[in-house]
Amino acid sequence: MKPFLKAILFLVILWIFDFLLRKGLVANFIPFQLPHNFTMLFLFSLFAFSSWLITKWFCKKDKMTLYDLGISLDRKNRFEFLYGFLIGIFLWAIVSIVQSYTAGFSWELRANISLFNILYGLIFIFIADLGTELFTRGYPLKRLEDSVGANAAILVMVFFVGLKSYSFDAEGELLIYSILIPALHTIFFSIIYFKTKRLGAALGIHTGANFITISVFDLRIEQPMQAIPSGILQSNVGLETLSLTALQLPWVVMALIFSIVTYFWWTKNKRITTMYNRH
């Protein structure tokens, strides 16, 4: 089977696992509910583990190793994860603050802040993002690069993530943003993966970004038994009173700017190497 078809097969298989495990279908058939909604944490962990096993199986078929895909616990990956985690926290915190100005609200402390909820949220987010990175980076990007080149591989993955993000429960502006923002994020996460040739930095930024936007600055409507506990800060006005465009546009602008910056960072060494080879 050609690399391109292998990548598509990999994505389809994990898409099915994603629908069954992370979208909650399997949860409907579990006859009991674990405390603190550990059921969803278990299912997200199962998806991450399944992603790792499926990646390993595809690598074995291609006579590759996980290390060839930059999936390891080596020193460089650990360092790049930490570095990326701090970058994710810093950049997404800035955008969260800008978001409050564009939408016209202030952040305020929640009354029920819990250290357990914060740590639990961080663990949940890391596991969820690990599953996503194994799903949409690593093997499929490498195989797509081998088949159609890195630039086209990113475009294919952007299309796939956009398609995967489609929701029948959303419509209008909400549907556009629910597709556009993940698709734009895919651009710079993929570039970071191609640049570093490891999963650590992309996973770190992904985890830091979601930690800030879920466990610190949190615009979700608080509900009992939600998968990730409410964050530290919340809006001082009702979410339904805020402009969707004013809320989402800062994330779109940030994603565009970050994509452009990482693209030039990625191609810088390529240009230098090309000039050096010509001389």
Side-chain angles (χ1 to χ4, degrees):
M1 186 181 294
K2 294 182 179 180
F4 182 87
L5 295 178
K6 288 181 179 178
I8 299 302
L9 177 61
F10 178 92
L11 291 171
V12 169
I13 291 173
L14 280 181
W15 196 351
I16 295 171
F17 273 77
D18 179 64
F19 180 76
L20 294 174
L21 299 174
R22 298 204 297 188
K23 294 299 188 292
L25 183 62
V26 170
N28 295 326
F29 298 95
I30 298 178
F32 57 87
Q33 180 69 49
L34 295 174
H36 302 292
N37 210 6
F38 283 158
T39 302
M40 291 308 299
L41 177 61
F42 169 73
L43 292 176
F44 271 70
S45 301
L46 188 58
F47 176 80
F49 182 65
S50 300
S51 300
W52 178 78
L53 284 179
I54 292 170
T55 300
K56 190 173 181 180
W57 185 82
F58 270 81
C59 284
K60 183 178 180 180
K61 292 296 181 180
D62 290 355
K63 295 181 172 55
M64 300 168 57
T65 66
L66 293 177
Y67 193 84
D68 294 329
L69 300 177
I71 302 173
S72 71
L73 292 174
D74 64 11
R75 181 177 174 275
K76 286 184 177 180
N77 251 326
R78 296 196 306 271
F79 173 78
E80 289 176 0
F81 171 83
L82 178 59
Y83 191 56
F85 182 72
L86 296 176
I87 290 175
I89 287 177
F90 177 74
L91 291 180
W92 269 255
I94 290 177
V95 180
S96 294
I97 294 170
V98 170
Q99 181 186 46
S100 68
Y101 284 98
T102 60
F105 69 90
S106 298
W107 293 105
E108 62 180 15
L109 287 172
R110 290 188 184 272
N112 57 341
I113 298 173
S114 165
L115 180 60
F116 170 81
N117 286 348
I118 296 170
L119 293 176
Y120 176 81
L122 177 59
I123 293 171
F124 195 116
I125 288 165
F126 169 76
I127 291 172
D129 291 340
L130 174 60
T132 298
E133 290 300 317
L134 289 169
F135 181 6
T136 56
R137 248 69 67 185
Y139 183 84
L141 270 183
K142 175 62 177 173
R143 295 285 79 181
L144 288 171
E145 180 190 25
D146 294 340
S147 181
V148 296
N151 291 328
I154 293 174
L155 292 178
V156 171
M157 194 58 65
V158 167
F159 174 80
F160 174 79
V161 171
L163 182 63
K164 186 177 76 71
S165 301
Y166 181 86
S167 173
F168 291 102
D169 297 327
E171 59 183 15
E173 279 186 287
L174 180 59
L175 179 60
I176 292 173
Y177 286 121
S178 66
I179 294 174
L180 179 61
I181 293 177
L184 289 175
H185 281 55
T186 300
I187 296 175
F188 58 76
F189 281 133
S190 300
I191 291 173
I192 290 168
Y193 174 74
F194 279 137
K195 172 68 175 182
T196 62
K197 302 186 186 304
R198 287 178 292 274
L199 210 62
L203 176 59
I205 294 176
H206 206 157
T207 303
N210 281 332
F211 177 68
I212 279 292
T213 56
I214 297 176
S215 290
V216 180
F217 298 100
D218 186 3
L219 283 175
R220 296 173 300 159
I221 298 174
E222 190 170 359
Q223 297 177 342
M225 297 301 292
Q226 58 193 30
I228 302 177
S230 299
I232 298 172
L233 299 168
Q234 64 181 349
S235 168
N236 67 335
V237 297
L239 188 61
E240 67 278 358
T241 67
L242 301 174
S243 163
L244 182 63
T245 298
L247 285 171
Q248 300 295 343
L249 200 56
W251 301 113
V252 174
V253 173
M254 186 278 293
L256 288 171
I257 293 174
F258 199 28
S259 295
I260 293 170
V261 170
T262 53
Y263 179 79
F264 281 104
W265 170 62
W266 176 37
T267 58
K268 180 181 178 181
N269 285 350
K270 287 185 177 181
R271 293 195 300 269
I272 294 174
T273 303
T274 301
M275 292 175 61
Y276 177 80
N277 290 335
R278 286 177 180 174
H279 290 291

